[in-house]
Structures are given as C-alpha cells and as structure tokens.
Amino acid sequence: MKTDILAIGAHPDDVELGCGGTLIAHREKGYRVVVLDLTKGELGTRGSVQIRAEESWRAKEVMGVEERINAGFRDGFFVNDEWHQRELIRYIRLYQPDVVLANAIWDRHPDHGKGAKLVSDACFLSGLSKIETLFHDVPQIPWRPKKIYHYIQSKFIVPDIIVNVSPYWKRKIEAVQCYVSQFYDPHNTQPNTYISSPEFLKMIEARGKELGHSIAVEYGEGFTKESHIGVNSFFDIL
C-alpha cells in the first residue's frame, strides 16, 4: 500500500480547494497519491452525506488519484485525542506516505486547524514502535512521513513553499466544481453559504494567480512547512 503523498482534509472538498493542482501535478509525474477525508461533511448547510460522497468520488476521478477513503470522524466534533490519533496512525502505517499534506494550521472553520494538529501529532506518533496497531488483524510496522506540509485555505497565510500548478489549474477547478451542492450554482435553491457565492470561487482564482505571480508563473498553490526544507544545491530551487 506504499504511497508517495497522503493528502488529508477535514471535509470532502478541502484537498481540491487547497492542493488539488498539486495532487494532479504529482500524479502526472507518476507519483502515487491517496486522499483521506476525515469526515463526511455531514454538518454542511447544503447537500447531504450521500451527495457529498458522490461528488468526492467524481472529484477523485478528475484528479486521477489512486484511492480516496473516509475516516468517518464526526464533522465539527472530532477531537485530537488518543482514539482519533490511533485511527489516523492506522492509515499512515497502511499507506506509508513520504509526504503528508494537511489542512491549514488555522482557518475560518475550526475543523481545519484542529485537523492540522491532529494529523501532525498522529504522523509523529506513527513512528513510535511501542504504539501497536492492527489492520485486518495484522500488526502494522511503525512509519513516520518525511515531511508534512499544510495547504492554505480561506484565511491567507504566508506560504513557505509554492508549487507551480499552471498546467493543471483547469483540472483543479473542474475537481472543485464536482461539488455542485457546495459551490455557486444559480439553479440551487438551498440556503446561501459563505462558499456558495460566486465571489468565493473568484477568490480561489485570485489566490492562485497571486501565488503564481510570486514565483513568476501563472498559477500556484501555497504550503507552510513544519520543518526546514533542505536542498543539495541552490539550483534545486526555481
């Protein structure tokens, strides 16, 4: 089950909005990518659990990631405790990612910052051999990802690293728009929300252009780091 990147989001659509272009870019380069949604987004004002599940599967197909799974944590009420950490450890040890992408370290929705800390703690604990976990009754071996990066969501956070996603921006937006229940749709008669306005998608577009401009490309996605980024040469950097 070894994978290169495990992208984790508190809700279905988090990874599409925050790092969808980055996931597509790495898939196009041959890296194995898996998405893990922590909750089913059951507290969302619009749509339903079933609709969100169908939308997330369509988005998976657009991005081309190998697998998408859902941990089934409680939307809005999951916590960073031993039970949730152990559940995440099981997934981390199952997929053995080298890189984990997680929610923004703080954001408008409290699940985002909470999810970021939960993932960070679970990644560290997953490397401890005295924490024992099973998958299908088979003991798992310890595994600690090499790097954790946090994508940027609603609140602007100055990034430590920006990925050029210019060739994949249209596919990213196509993946986002798989969530018809959540984003702007003039035919949707459900209550309006913060993310259902046309201005929200305009912000995503502007954010991508702003980050891209800062590295002299058309579109970019930004991430914050938890540890220093090492290179062998200055020429490894754009």
Side-chain angles (χ1 to χ4, degrees), residues 6 34-38 57 67-72 91 94-95:
L6 179 61
V34 172
V35 173
L36 169 60
D37 300 311
L38 297 183
W57 191 257
E67 293 186 54
R68 185 169 204 153
I69 48 179
N70 197 296
Y91 288 117
L94 173 65
Y95 290 106

Side-chain angles (χ1 to χ4, degrees), residues 4-5 10 15 33 36 44 51 61 66 69 71 98 105 109 128 130 140 151-152 180 188 205-206 210 218-219:
D4 298 300
I5 297 176
V15 300
V33 177
L36 169 60
I51 290 172
E61 296 297 300
E66 277 84 355
I69 48 179
D98 294 316
I105 54 175
H109 197 306
L128 301 180
K130 290 186 178 179
Q140 295 180 299
Y151 44 88
I152 296 168
V180 178
N188 193 321
E205 177 81 9
E210 178 184 22
E218 189 174 7
Y219 289 102

Side-chain angles (χ1 to χ4, degrees), residues 5 18-19 22 26 99-102 147-153 156-165 207-208 210-212 214-215 217 219-231 236-238:
I5 297 176
C19 61
T22 298
H26 283 81
V99 172
V100 168
L101 304 181
K147 290 289 183 181
I148 305 170
Y149 299 109
H150 297 271
Y151 44 88
I152 296 168
Q153 298 186 259
F156 182 74
I157 301 173
V158 176
D160 297 309
I161 185 171
I162 298 173
V163 178
N164 177 14
V165 297
R207 174 77 53 77
E210 178 184 22
L211 293 174
S214 68
I215 58 169
V217 301
Y219 289 102
E221 288 180 338
F223 300 83
T224 59
K225 60 180 176 56
E226 290 196 2
S227 59
H228 292 300
I229 300 170
V231 298
D236 292 339
I237 306 170
L238 272 177

Side-chain angles (χ1 to χ4, degrees), residues 8 38 73 78-89 92 102 111-125 150:
I8 303 176
L38 297 183
F73 295 168
F78 70 84
V79 295
N80 185 8
D81 63 4
E82 180 179 348
W83 185 86
H84 288 83
Q85 290 166 0
R86 283 184 175 273
E87 286 296 297
L88 269 185
I89 288 169
I92 294 164
D111 278 0
H112 296 168
K114 184 168 56 175
K117 187 66 168 70
L118 170 59
V119 170
S120 181
D121 289 350
C123 284
F124 180 85
L125 294 172
H150 297 271

Side-chain angles (χ1 to χ4, degrees), residues 14-224:
D14 281 357
V15 300
E16 286 83 358
L17 288 165
C19 61
T22 298
L23 300 187
I24 296 168
H26 283 81
R27 279 296 299 127
E28 290 295 310
K29 293 176 174 62
Y31 291 101
R32 179 175 168 80
V33 177
V34 172
V35 173
L36 169 60
D37 300 311
L38 297 183
T39 78
K40 297 177 181 179
E42 62 269 25
L43 294 184
T45 301
R46 294 155 67 105
S48 66
V49 168
Q50 180 61 34
I51 290 172
R52 295 288 289 274
E54 292 169 357
E55 291 170 339
S56 68
W57 191 257
R58 287 196 292 271
K60 167 198 175 291
E61 296 297 300
V62 171
M63 292 187 293
V65 301
E66 277 84 355
E67 293 186 54
R68 185 169 204 153
I69 48 179
N70 197 296
F73 295 168
R74 292 181 64 204
D75 188 8
F77 295 103
F78 70 84
V79 295
N80 185 8
D81 63 4
E82 180 179 348
W83 185 86
H84 288 83
Q85 290 166 0
R86 283 184 175 273
E87 286 296 297
L88 269 185
I89 288 169
R90 291 175 64 249
Y91 288 117
I92 294 164
R93 290 177 174 179
L94 173 65
Y95 290 106
Q96 299 182 347
D98 294 316
V99 172
V100 168
L101 304 181
N103 283 104
I105 54 175
W106 63 277
D107 203 42
R108 174 179 177 272
H109 197 306
D111 278 0
H112 296 168
K114 184 168 56 175
K117 187 66 168 70
L118 170 59
V119 170
S120 181
D121 289 350
C123 284
F124 180 85
L125 294 172
S126 180
L128 301 180
S129 60
K130 290 186 178 179
I131 296 178
E132 299 177 356
T133 57
L134 302 173
F135 185 79
H136 291 333
D137 297 323
V138 177
Q140 295 180 299
I141 63 171
W143 183 269
R144 183 173 293 150
K146 293 182 177 68
K147 290 289 183 181
I148 305 170
Y149 299 109
H150 297 271
Y151 44 88
I152 296 168
Q153 298 186 259
S154 182
K155 299 289 187 182
F156 182 74
I157 301 173
V158 176
D160 297 309
I161 185 171
I162 298 173
V163 178
N164 177 14
V165 297
S166 304
Y168 314 108
W169 187 260
K170 288 184 179 178
R171 275 178 64 190
K172 169 201 169 82
I173 297 303
E174 183 183 349
V176 169
Q177 291 177 331
C178 287
Y179 295 89
V180 178
S181 70
Q182 300 303 301
F183 301 113
Y184 178 66
D185 175 7
H187 304 294
N188 193 321
T189 59
Q190 292 184 291
N192 292 326
T193 68
Y194 173 76
I195 65 173
S196 71
S197 71
E199 286 72 26
F200 181 79
L201 290 180
K202 289 178 183 177
M203 181 275 288
I204 297 299
E205 177 81 9
R207 174 77 53 77
K209 281 187 173 292
E210 178 184 22
L211 293 174
H213 175 74
S214 68
I215 58 169
V217 301
E218 189 174 7
Y219 289 102
E221 288 180 338
F223 300 83
T224 59

